């Protein structure tokens, strides 16, 4: 493993027999606690998922969706825990409300929550400890308090400011739960969520049955009816976690795995296939341009063609057509272009991962989409609903056009690596449409340039935001930035580092039976090591 650190770093590599990686220390501590209680990687990941809901509510909640790639006994499993749109919603129904696009906040933007059912389903198939024990750390945080970390405090203040205009009965629950005398809490504050604690206890006892088909579902239904929303208890009862076949691509000596649509992970594989034909080197002036153009082409096609698979006009195989992607590579010129989608036939999230002392690994991600999501909380439940329906288009005839009982195009994507068919690593870079761009840029660092996981995450990044616009971090190579401008890119400096992706990388050294981890410098990223000799004896379920 390359031990050099080519970029200014706040962190060193972390090694351990087992570990839990997350964007904040409370979640990582929950994962470690479960590992040390004899739990496996799935138990630890579900514990972190539940803890993130409490400790990082600015990015996810009980109303979230979830995706995961699980490696158990050297076999990969993919899970799609995204929720559908309510059956009653439609373009016509939205136009009756005088909406020409989906409102960013409010009752209309909320999709059916998928995360809670995914926790229960994935745990039932792969978990070792009792489900109630796995959720115990999150319940303790919600009931007795957790200490707020600095990045979440920053996000909290920004999110409340963005939602100041959201007032009235619909938003009362949100302000009651997430503001403290109309202000955001500060780093170091100890915070409790009593309503959330009660809901988490219910989920721990019955595996989410009340959430989807019982008393909690009734409360969500009543809240929606009271405020003119579309979601009903029947939509909740119909929610299913899909077991899906992950997609893969060989790249620079490893196999990169992403989940299939309705997620945007396929764009990572498309961009890497394009870059197979374009040699790049780190901190190089021309390479930055080539990488940006490859990402741009992949994401433009995916925005056009990716939707709920039942509604897609093209298949994953069509989008990964090597001949088409070679043409895309050949089409990259010397100047920045405004790219339109081709013909392949000719925004806020939490990512976390865990590895146990048996070599099992989980790559998991969940999100309310835009910060606190729709900005609404169901009374007495602590459930902050997502605003994932923002990812639908209102363009009639588009594969991703708004309709009832349909999964939207989805931004959240867990990643995974294998070598010679054996699980090698779990990774992810969270953050809306930055996610595939973060995957591509960190994978180039790791696989093509030979950087270690921490250096791959520390490397400065850019984000394509449309047309010829590139948001480029301040510490990006100065000559490369000058060259990007010369080639016609409009370079924009980010106002802060919170939108540039927040990632985790965990690789498995099979020979030594240890993990090597890197965590994000742009947030409160934490790696909690749980060595096997600390494990308590496991007595069985």
């Amino acid at each position: 493993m390359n031990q050099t650190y080519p970029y200014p770093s706040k962190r060193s590599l972390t090694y351990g027999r087992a570990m839990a990686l997350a964007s904040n220390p409370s979640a990582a501590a929950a994962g470690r606690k479960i590992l040390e209680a004899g739990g496996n990687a799935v138990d630890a990941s579900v514990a972190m998922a539940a803890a993130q809901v409490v400790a990082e509510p600015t990015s996810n909640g009980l109303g979230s969706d979830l995706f995961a790639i699980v490696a158990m006994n050297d076999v990969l499993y993919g899970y799609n825990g995204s929720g559908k749109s309510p059956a009653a919603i439609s373009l016509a129904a939205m136009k009756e409300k005088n909406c020409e696009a989906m409102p960013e906040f409010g009752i209309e933007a909320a999709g059916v929550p998928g995360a809670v059912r995914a926790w229960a389903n994935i745990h039932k198939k792969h978990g070792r400890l009792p489900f109630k024990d796995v959720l115990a750390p999150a319940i303790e945080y919600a009931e007795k308090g957790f200490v707020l970390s600095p990045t979440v405090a920053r996000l909290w203040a920004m999110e409340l400011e963005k939602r100041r205009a959201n007032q009235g009965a619909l938003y009362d629950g949100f302000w009651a739960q997430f503001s403290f005398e109309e202000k955001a809490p500060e780093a170091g504050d100890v915070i409790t969520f009593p309503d959330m604690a009660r809901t988490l206890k219910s989920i721990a006892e019955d595996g989410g049955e009340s959430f989807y088909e019982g008393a909690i579902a009734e409360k969500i239904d009543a809240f929606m009816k009271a405020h003119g929303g579309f979601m009903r208890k029947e939509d909740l009862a119909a929610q299913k976690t899909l077991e899906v076949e992950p997609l893969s691509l060989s790249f620079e000596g490893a196999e990169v795995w992403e989940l299939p649509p309705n997620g945007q992970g396929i764009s990572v594989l498309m961009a890497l296939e394009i870059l197979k034909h374009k040699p790049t080197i780190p901190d190089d002036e021309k390479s930055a341009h080539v990488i940006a153009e490859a990402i741009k082409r992949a994401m433009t096609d995916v925005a056009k063609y990716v939707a709920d698979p039942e509604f897609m006009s093209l298949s994953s195989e069509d989008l990964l057509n090597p001949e088409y992607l070679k043409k895309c590579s050949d089409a990259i010129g010397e100047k920045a272009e405004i790219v339109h989608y081709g013909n392949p036939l000719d925004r806020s999230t939490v990512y976390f991962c865990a590895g146990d002392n048996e070599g099992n690994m989980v790559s998991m991600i969940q999100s309310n989409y835009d910060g606190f999501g729709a900005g609404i909380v169901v009374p007495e439940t602590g459930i902050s609903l997502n605003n994932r329906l923002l990812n639908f288009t209102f363009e009639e005839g588009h594969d991703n056009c708004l309709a009832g009982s349909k999964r939207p195009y989805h931004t959240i994507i867990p990643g995974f690596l294998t070598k010679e068919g054996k699980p090698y690593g779990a990774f992810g870079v969270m953050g809306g449409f930055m996610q595939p761009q973060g995957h591509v840029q960190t994978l180039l660092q790791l696989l093509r340039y030979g950087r270690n996981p921490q250096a791959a995450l520390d490397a400065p990044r850019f984000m394509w935001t449309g047309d010829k616009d590139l948001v480029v971090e301040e510490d990006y190579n100065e000559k490369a930035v000058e060259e990007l401008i010369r080639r016609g890119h409009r370079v924009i400096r980010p106002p802060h580092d919170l939108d540039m992706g927040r990632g985790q990388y965990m690789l498995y050294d099979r020979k030594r039976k240890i993990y090597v981890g890197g965590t994000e410098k742009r947030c409160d990223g934490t790696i909690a090591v749980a060595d096997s000799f600390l494990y308590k004896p496991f007595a069985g379920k």
Side-chain angles (χ1 to χ4, degrees):
M1 184 69 65
N2 182 2
Q3 298 298 311
T4 62
Y5 292 85
Y7 305 103
S9 177
K10 299 177 183 177
R11 305 174 190 271
S12 60
L13 283 171
T14 301
Y15 295 85
R17 293 186 181 96
M19 59 176 56
L21 298 80
S23 54
N24 72 67
S26 295
R32 176 172 58 194
K33 183 174 183 178
I34 295 303
L35 287 170
E36 291 178 353
N40 63 18
V42 165
D43 294 320
S45 296
V46 173
M48 286 193 287
Q52 291 276 30
V53 162
V54 182
E56 197 163 341
T58 51
S59 299
N60 70 146
L62 287 167
S64 286
D65 290 333
L66 177 148
F67 289 78
I69 300 176
V70 175
M72 293 294 289
N73 302 315
D74 291 347
V75 178
L76 287 192
Y77 302 85
Y79 294 97
N80 178 336
S82 63
K84 291 185 175 183
S85 58
I89 203 169
S90 65
L91 280 181
M94 291 301 294
K95 287 178 180 176
E96 284 182 13
K97 292 190 168 207
N98 298 314
C99 294
E100 296 300 322
M102 188 63 69
E104 185 176 2
F105 307 120
I107 205 81
E108 295 84 7
V112 175
V116 169
R117 180 145 280 172
W119 298 349
N121 292 156
I122 296 170
H123 178 268
K124 184 176 182 179
K125 181 158 185 176
H126 302 290
R128 179 183 291 165
L129 296 180
F131 191 57
K132 63 182 178 62
D133 292 356
V134 170
L135 264 60
I139 293 168
E140 187 171 354
Y141 286 149
E143 197 167 46
K144 298 181 180 179
F146 67 95
V147 181
L148 186 63
S149 61
T151 299
V152 180
R154 287 175 63 196
L155 287 166
W156 206 314
M158 292 165 60
E159 289 294 321
L160 289 193
E161 195 59 37
K162 189 165 68 175
R163 288 165 164 79
R164 288 291 175 196
N166 297 346
Q167 300 295 332
L170 174 62
Y171 300 103
D172 284 348
F174 170 83
W175 289 105
Q177 178 158 290
F178 292 124
S179 72
F180 301 83
E181 296 181 353
E182 299 296 318
K183 295 179 181 178
E186 297 181 354
D189 285 350
V190 178
I191 299 167
T192 60
F193 290 125
D195 289 344
M196 209 182 291
R198 285 192 293 272
T199 297
L200 283 165
K201 284 181 179 178
S202 169
I203 294 165
E205 289 296 327
D206 67 11
E209 288 304 306
S210 176
F211 190 102
Y212 288 99
E213 299 181 50
I216 296 173
E218 293 280 358
K219 288 181 179 179
I220 296 171
D221 183 279
F223 178 71
M224 285 284 166
K225 287 176 179 173
H227 295 285
F230 295 101
M231 197 187 307
R232 296 292 181 265
K233 58 186 178 181
E234 291 81 8
D235 296 311
L236 292 158
Q239 173 61 21
K240 289 181 172 58
T241 305
L242 304 179
E243 187 169 336
V244 297
E245 192 72 29
L247 304 172
S248 69
L249 175 83
S250 295
F251 186 77
E252 303 289 355
E255 299 82 47
V256 180
W257 296 83
E258 300 277 353
L259 293 183
N262 55 315
Q264 63 175 341
I266 194 171
S267 66
V268 176
L269 305 183
M270 293 167 69
L272 292 177
E273 182 69 34
I274 292 170
L275 289 168
K276 279 184 179 180
H277 309 285
K278 296 287 186 183
T280 60
I281 57 177
D283 305 323
D284 173 65
E285 293 88 337
K286 182 177 180 181
S287 294
H289 163 74
V290 168
I291 296 165
E293 291 297 301
I295 288 170
K296 188 186 299 185
R297 280 161 171 77
M299 292 187 68
T300 299
D301 278 1
V302 164
K304 169 64 178 175
Y305 295 116
V306 165
D308 185 325
E310 294 181 14
F311 295 83
M312 283 175 59
S313 57
L314 298 182
S315 67
S316 295
E317 291 75 16
D318 294 332
L319 291 168
L320 290 171
N321 181 343
E323 293 181 6
Y324 168 68
L325 294 172
K326 173 64 163 61
K327 290 179 181 178
C328 290
S329 180
D330 293 342
I332 295 176
E334 295 298 310
K335 295 287 186 179
E337 296 180 45
I338 295 177
V339 175
H340 301 285
Y341 63 85
N343 180 5
L345 300 182
D346 180 63
R347 242 178 205 220
S348 299
T349 304
V350 291
Y351 172 80
F352 41 99
C353 52
D356 61 34
N357 64 334
E358 297 170 354
N360 301 309
M361 291 179 271
V362 176
S363 180
M364 189 175 282
I365 193 163
Q366 71 184 16
S367 173
N368 260 1
Y369 186 45
D370 181 13
F372 282 113
I376 52 179
V377 172
V378 180
E380 301 176 357
T381 68
I383 300 170
S384 56
L385 292 169
N386 68 70
N387 58 348
R388 184 56 64 178
L389 302 193
L390 277 171
N391 282 157
F392 280 119
T393 177
F394 278 29
E395 180 186 337
E396 294 190 47
H398 194 289
D399 290 358
N400 189 45
C401 182
L402 176 67
S405 300
K406 182 178 181 179
R407 287 182 170 84
Y409 174 98
H410 228 286
T411 58
I412 63 175
I413 52 173
F416 208 88
L417 295 170
T418 58
K419 277 194 173 183
E420 299 178 349
K422 299 288 187 181
Y424 175 55
F427 72 93
V429 179
M430 66 188 91
F433 294 97
M434 179 62 198
Q435 291 181 61
Q437 305 187 58
H439 280 213
V440 170
Q441 291 174 75
T442 54
L443 285 169
L444 285 170
Q445 291 283 336
L446 186 84
L447 300 176
R448 179 170 282 184
Y449 309 152
R451 308 298 195 202
N452 66 53
Q454 189 60 56
L457 289 167
D458 288 340
R461 302 171 191 153
F462 62 76
M463 175 172 56
W464 173 63
T465 57
D467 294 334
K468 298 181 182 180
D469 294 347
L470 282 182
V471 179
V472 182
E473 288 191 302
E474 293 285 353
D475 53 348
Y476 210 91
N477 180 274
E478 188 176 339
K479 289 185 178 179
V481 173
E482 291 172 357
E483 184 66 11
L484 286 169
I485 294 169
R486 190 188 72 78
R487 289 174 180 266
H489 297 275
R490 180 170 176 257
V491 171
I492 304 162
R493 295 301 191 180
H496 49 72
D497 57 3
L498 297 179
D499 291 334
M500 300 307 293
R502 295 177 288 154
Q504 316 290 332
Y505 263 82
M506 178 183 68
L507 304 182
Y508 187 54
D509 184 329
R510 191 168 291 274
K511 184 177 180 180
R512 294 190 288 174
K513 291 183 169 48
I514 63 163
Y515 295 95
V516 184
T519 190
E520 185 60 70
K521 69 179 185 180
R522 297 165 183 83
C523 67
D524 310 317
T526 302
I527 302 176
V529 172
D531 279 319
S532 59
F533 63 82
L534 296 173
Y535 284 10
K536 297 176 183 177
F538 171 62
K541 289 187 178 180

